[in-house]
Amino acid sequence: MKHAIAVDIGGTKTSVVLMDSDFKTYSQVDFPTPRDYEDASEKIRKTVENLDPKGNLPIGIALCGLLSRDNKELLLAPNLSWKNLSLKELFHWIDGDFKVVNDGTAAAWASYILGGKKDYRLLSVTFGTGVGGGLVMYGNLILGAGELGHIKLDPQGAACGCGSRGCLETFAGGRHLPSRALEWEGLNVETACELGKLANDGSEAALRCFKKMGSIAGYALAGVVNLNGIGTISIGGGLANASGHFFMDSLKESLKENLMVPDKQNPTIHFSQSKRNMSLMGAGAVVINPPPNLQT
């Protein structure tokens, strides 16, 4: 039985856990992600040392940002305002084996492993603070990619944390949903969680917000399927786990409507296994059961 330390650095929360090769987790620690990258690294270091005092275990890290194709640099993490950081320097305190991947990419690898490696073209989509994505193609992770949330849908649209405008994330990311709820339905909510509570209470306006969000997300995903011939889409993330049942039907409907040949292309869509944090699971998996293109 192999073990590893898995770390998921999200735009809102960071999770650190001890994980085994059966995806069982132990002693998980969660804390708000510090805005300063040095503070974040130090907080993670202390947490890892508490879980693995001897420092013998490999460490897998999922990070919510665009990484370079050689997987050596964080180019931009819009929801943390981190950019141009050497991963080796950011995690300088790690002496042993460690790997860093995009959080959506990590989720894709976990979905692929837990799904029995059955689909050669798998897309993972995470709806959380932002919108992330990851691709597994023929058993390999596609590195330096996965920023699904920054597909441009409206060049004159709302400003995005990446510096552009009208990204998918500004329509379907948790951080932007409150402003969309105000724009679309005149709802004054502070957080996506609050919008979800209204929907749970039967608010028709809140339900329409989620339906519109799903339609826009499905439209964007159709483009990815048309481009890459995706066979399976695995959907997860905090927002999806909490409120996915409100937008999943409209997402599927919009996706199918915008495929070139809907009856032939329509991919299998499912929520990630057991609604677990698939980015965290994938962070551990890339060091316990690494893809061929990340093996050392």
Side-chain angles (χ1 to χ4, degrees), residues 3-5 16-18 26-27 29 44-59 93-96:
H3 292 81
I5 297 293
V16 185
V17 73
L18 176 63
Y26 312 86
S27 306
V29 178
I44 294 166
R45 181 190 68 78
K46 291 179 179 178
T47 306
V48 169
E49 287 184 352
N50 285 334
L51 292 177
D52 180 26
K54 295 182 179 180
N56 293 330
L57 297 177
I59 301 172
W93 46 269
I94 303 178
D95 294 325

Side-chain angles (χ1 to χ4, degrees), residues 187-216:
L187 291 176
N188 190 7
V189 295
E190 296 285 332
T191 64
C193 182
E194 188 178 341
L195 184 65
K197 289 179 180 178
L198 288 177
N200 271 322
D201 291 339
S203 166
E204 291 295 330
L207 290 168
R208 285 193 297 270
C209 286
F210 281 113
K211 183 176 180 179
K212 185 162 186 175
M213 168 200 161
S215 293
I216 294 170

